[in-house]
Amino acid sequence: MSHEHAGAAEAAEGATTVAPGHRGGDLPGEHALWEDRTRISLTPIAAPSILGLFGLAGAFMMVGAWQAGWYGNAATPLILWPFVLTFGGLAQFLAGMWAYRARDGLATAVHGMWGAFFLGWGLFFMLVSIAAVPVALVPTLGTLREGFAFWWVALAVISGLAALAALGANLMFALLLACLAVGSGFTAAGYWTPSTWSLDVGGWLFVAAAVLALYVAAAMMMENTFGRTILPTFKTRVAGNVPGRRGTRPLEYRMGEPGVRIGQ
């Protein structure tokens, strides 16, 4: 063997046996072969679903409880629409678009769809509040509104498909989407029949979905701040559900990317 080939072999062997504590040494040999030969420039982002789920939870805590008849009257949406439009709609929709950057197709679909819905919901009642839409067209509880019922039909179908897809991620997110799908179905039936009890059931399920969204968002936020699992979300990857352990191991240098700071 020539000296040139022997030197290359020794360099490759040395690259794959990095001592613990050095770059690439957290898992012996992993990525060590290319770490000294590749320069990576990244634009990391936090998990978009943290914002998206908090936006969804905030909107549904208000709208769901109102729909279930726990508070308010027919004029209540005229007070709720600014918050629903901005937090449940705009903030959640932006989270869905940022989910593209995170390569999360499920979050893109869920937050994009529900964010767009709450944008439409908020805009509709904003137009009602400035008398741009006749009051006779307002979808009040217990009245026949077939057009508004179709809003919820589409939401029920897409949320149901998303719930099936979420089974590949974690069970808490799947349960959350199942509540949204079934709640949307009851709500559609309530405006189609019309039926107050169906709307009540839909409202209860929306509140349940809001509680689940708070839990999942808090679990993701705490995993980000503590660097390990605090609240389990019953991920399909069992190790991600053990408190105190890291749910995922990102592809990164052990000491982080030079020049990039996480947080504020």
Side-chain angles (χ1 to χ4, degrees), residues 201-213:
V201 173
W204 299 336
L205 287 169
F206 289 150
V207 174
V211 174
L212 290 170

Side-chain angles (χ1 to χ4, degrees), residues 249-264:
R249 182 182 180 275
L251 180 61
E252 64 182 7
Y253 297 131
R254 183 174 181 84
M255 301 306 294
E257 184 184 2
V260 175
R261 178 181 178 183
I262 297 177
Q264 303 180 60

Side-chain angles (χ1 to χ4, degrees), residues 124-259:
F124 180 85
F125 283 102
M126 180 190 73
L127 294 174
V128 173
S129 67
I130 62 176
V133 172
V135 177
L137 297 179
V138 175
T140 54
L141 303 178
T143 58
L144 178 64
R145 291 292 184 269
E146 295 176 345
F148 193 58
F150 266 113
W151 287 30
W152 297 99
V153 170
L155 293 167
V157 172
I158 299 174
S159 294
L161 294 174
L164 293 176
L167 293 173
N170 66 72
L171 298 182
M172 291 296 290
F173 200 18
L175 181 59
L176 157 64
L177 292 169
C179 286
L180 292 178
V182 178
S184 297
F186 275 101
T187 302
Y191 283 111
W192 196 282
T193 312
S195 171
T196 55
W197 72 265
S198 183
L199 291 171
D200 288 343
V201 173
W204 299 336
L205 287 169
F206 289 150
V207 174
V211 174
L212 290 170
L214 287 174
Y215 180 90
V216 176
M220 298 178 69
M221 182 171 60
M222 292 179 184
E223 183 178 352
N224 178 259
T225 56
F226 287 93
R228 59 185 183 276
T229 299
I230 301 298
L231 299 175
T233 55
F234 303 98
K235 297 179 181 178
T236 52
R237 184 174 179 270
V238 178
N241 301 311
V242 180
R245 295 183 61 179
R246 296 188 67 175
T248 57
R249 182 182 180 275
L251 180 61
E252 64 182 7
Y253 297 131
R254 183 174 181 84
M255 301 306 294
E257 184 184 2

